[in-house]
Amino acid sequence: MASLLHLQFIFLIAFLLISTAISNNCSSSPAPISGNTHFADCTDLPSLKSSLHWTYNSTNSTLSIAIVAPLPSSDGWISWGINPIKPSMIGTQCLIAFKASNGSMIVNTYNLTSYTSITQTDKLLFKVLNSKAEYSNGVMQLLATLVLPSNMTTVNQVWQVGPAVKDGTPVAHKFDPDNLKSKGTLNLTTSSSGDGKNATAPVPAGGGGQSDNKTGGSSRIWSNNTSFFVFIMFLGVLFF
């Protein structure tokens, strides 16, 4: 009888592990580089081998994001932004992250007014509470927390990677099909975060922007849940 209960207990834990992996983990894209940043949701983006890890807090209209993607080159850049009108590059207000000549990570905000030029500005539809970037093994990650208008339920998001930065300005990206389809809509009402209190936002840009620890693998959410379930399984093996 004890061995039967033991077997049933193991099957239950295995089911919970699989369910957690399906619901909280991006299937094919890089996981956040940071080991101490938690997000409630994760979305495989349809282009550029990228993923968006995000938490929306409806009580204060804040959106915390981590966009993660491999770069075309080590001198490249990554961006994520919001278009207030439609999912399109022109009109997007975005953050762009890149590595400076001294090796530090920089995150600036821009208006995308044309396909050939960008304008750096602090006047955006949304307020940027904090932001930072990290780079490791060919993968760059841009993290930010934004304050959105209180009536927003969806976000027209645009993301991109580029090959280089010249004189402090990101060089234009390729116009391959994968680059041109890097846009979509993020439905904030589908967030599993509730009021977002269980998620931690990225630290400000001065708090250790560059990281050379790790890239790829499982998301931090998956890692935390796995540790909990492994502990429960250990108790089951110990007492049954």
Side-chain angles (χ1 to χ4, degrees):
M1 181 66 179
S3 61
L4 179 59
L5 289 174
H6 190 183
L7 187 61
Q8 290 175 336
F9 183 85
I10 292 177
F11 281 141
L12 174 61
I13 295 300
F15 172 78
L16 290 173
L17 286 171
I18 294 171
S19 299
T20 304
I22 293 173
S23 61
N24 290 321
N25 196 34
C26 288
S27 60
S28 59
S29 303
I33 298 171
S34 289
N36 59 351
T37 304
H38 305 254
F39 295 94
D41 297 276
C42 182
T43 303
D44 277 321
L45 298 175
S47 66
L48 302 176
K49 299 178 181 179
S50 53
S51 61
L52 180 72
H53 304 254
W54 59 285
T55 298
Y56 179 64
N57 187 335
S58 59
T59 60
N60 57 12
S61 300
T62 56
L63 176 64
S64 296
I65 63 101
I67 174 75
V68 193
L71 296 186
S73 70
S74 59
D75 297 323
W77 52 265
I78 188 172
S79 73
W80 185 89
I82 296 175
N83 190 313
I85 306 299
K86 60 182 179 179
S88 175
M89 174 182 166
I90 302 302
T92 293
Q93 302 178 355
C94 70
L95 299 94
I96 300 181
F98 54 89
K99 187 184 297 185
S101 57
N102 63 2
S104 64
M105 302 300 296
I106 293 176
V107 180
N108 291 330
T109 52
Y110 300 84
N111 276 333
L112 305 183
T113 55
S114 74
Y115 288 108
T116 58
S117 64
I118 58 176
T119 303
Q120 186 174 342
T121 181
D122 293 328
K123 297 179 180 179
L124 303 175
L125 169 70
F126 48 86
K127 179 180 180 181
V128 181
L129 292 181
N130 50 56
S131 62
K132 72 170 187 173
E134 299 173 336
Y135 179 82
S136 178
N137 300 327
V139 174
M140 187 170 284
Q141 170 177 271
L142 167 60
L143 304 99
T145 298
L146 320 173
V147 181
L148 304 180
S150 58
N151 59 344
M152 290 190 75
T153 57
T154 60
V155 168
N156 298 317
Q157 62 171 337
V158 178
W159 62 96
Q160 194 59 255
V161 295
V165 176
K166 183 177 181 181
D167 298 327
T169 301
V171 174
H173 61 79
K174 293 182 179 180
F175 285 84
D176 292 344
D178 211 29
N179 298 90
L180 296 178
K181 65 182 181 181
S182 57
K183 54 190 177 182
T185 301
L186 180 66
N187 188 348
L188 301 177
T189 64
T190 64
S191 175
S192 58
S193 63
D195 59 7
K197 293 180 180 178
N198 293 326
T200 58
V203 298
Q210 186 172 356
S211 171
D212 294 312
N213 295 328
K214 61 181 180 179
T215 183
S218 300
S219 73
R220 183 64 177 174
I221 297 171
W222 163 239
S223 177
N224 287 343
N225 287 337
T226 301
S227 299
F228 171 75
F229 287 128
V230 167
F231 175 70
I232 295 299
M233 183 178 289
F234 170 77
L235 292 179
V237 172
L238 186 64
F239 293 108
F240 277 93

